[in-house]
């Protein structure tokens, strides 16, 4: 999948909608999540931080807080993507449309061009990272997927 992306993505980091953003530009990190991450004891903590920074750097309209005892990303005031940190042998990103099934879920459609999502319901999916290598190799595709999802 990454071979189909421009070489600047692999070399520079994150490229979405023709704009490359670097981690140092992240201004939408929250103190609440910073404190949570400081206390987090997880074998893939570095992967959580890597994905967190990349997602926030990709879109200033995405904010974060702690939900379900993990970092969660909001778009337009609604939770849309949340880390799942248990069991501790992996980390997952849950793609959802809020805590409850929405009335329009029967009409909801989302195409996963990456093939990384496992569907839990018609409007809820998960991407699993078994190790840091998976985080690194899938980061660009997952960040793009997050940005597509929050607008769906």
């Amino acid at each position: 999948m990454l071979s189909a992306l421009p070489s600047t993505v692999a070399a520079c980091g994150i490229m979405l909608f023709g704009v490359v953003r670097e981690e140092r530009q992240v201004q939408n990190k929250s103190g609440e999540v910073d404190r949570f991450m400081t206390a987090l004891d997880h074998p893939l903590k570095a992967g959580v931080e890597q994905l967190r920074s990349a997602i926030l750097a990709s879109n200033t309209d995405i904010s974060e807080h702690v939900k379900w005892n993990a970092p969660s990303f909001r778009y337009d005031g609604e939770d849309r993507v949340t880390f799942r940190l248990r069991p501790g042998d992996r980390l997952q990103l849950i793609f959802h449309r809020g805590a409850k099934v929405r009335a329009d879920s029967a009409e909801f459609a989302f195409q996963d061009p990456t093939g990384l999502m496992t569907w839990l319901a018609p409007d809820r999916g998960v991407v699993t990272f078994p190790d840091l290598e998976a985080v690194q190799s899938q980061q660009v595709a997952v960040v793009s997927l997050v940005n597509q999802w929050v607008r769906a």
Side-chain angles (χ1 to χ4, degrees):
M1 178 64 193
L2 291 179
S3 62
L5 296 171
S7 60
T8 55
V9 172
C12 298
I14 305 155
M15 181 174 187
L16 296 170
F17 311 110
V19 176
V20 175
R21 295 197 172 156
E22 297 177 18
E23 285 188 46
R24 71 177 185 276
Q25 296 174 327
V26 177
Q27 296 178 7
N28 48 345
K29 282 190 172 185
S30 85
E32 174 191 22
V33 178
D34 287 339
R35 289 184 297 279
F36 176 88
M37 291 303 299
T38 297
L40 181 63
D41 180 21
H42 192 284
L44 298 175
K45 180 178 180 175
V48 175
E49 280 289 9
Q50 182 178 341
L51 288 170
R52 174 189 176 212
S53 292
I55 290 167
L56 292 172
S58 74
N59 187 332
T60 57
D61 292 331
I62 294 176
S63 62
E64 65 175 355
H65 70 126
V66 175
K67 176 188 177 100
W68 299 332
N69 202 29
S72 185
F73 302 99
R74 290 179 174 167
Y75 183 81
D76 200 23
E78 290 189 40
D79 288 296
R80 299 303 309 271
V81 178
T82 304
F83 278 102
R84 181 171 182 243
L85 304 174
R86 302 289 176 238
D89 64 340
R90 63 183 165 253
L91 69 90
Q92 296 178 310
L93 278 177
I94 307 295
F95 291 71
H96 55 88
R97 299 175 70 219
K100 298 179 181 180
V101 176
R102 292 179 21 176
D104 66 347
S105 63
E107 296 86 39
F108 180 77
F110 183 81
Q111 296 297 317
D112 170 16
T114 69
L116 295 172
M117 291 179 83
T118 300
W119 292 98
L120 305 173
D123 63 348
R124 189 172 300 253
V126 62
V127 174
T128 301
F129 305 91
D131 52 38
L132 289 176
E133 183 179 315
V135 170
Q136 292 168 353
S137 68
Q138 298 171 356
Q139 175 181 310
V140 172
V142 169
V143 169
S144 178
L145 192 61
V146 167
N147 276 276
Q148 293 169 36
W149 180 266
V150 298
R151 290 176 172 84

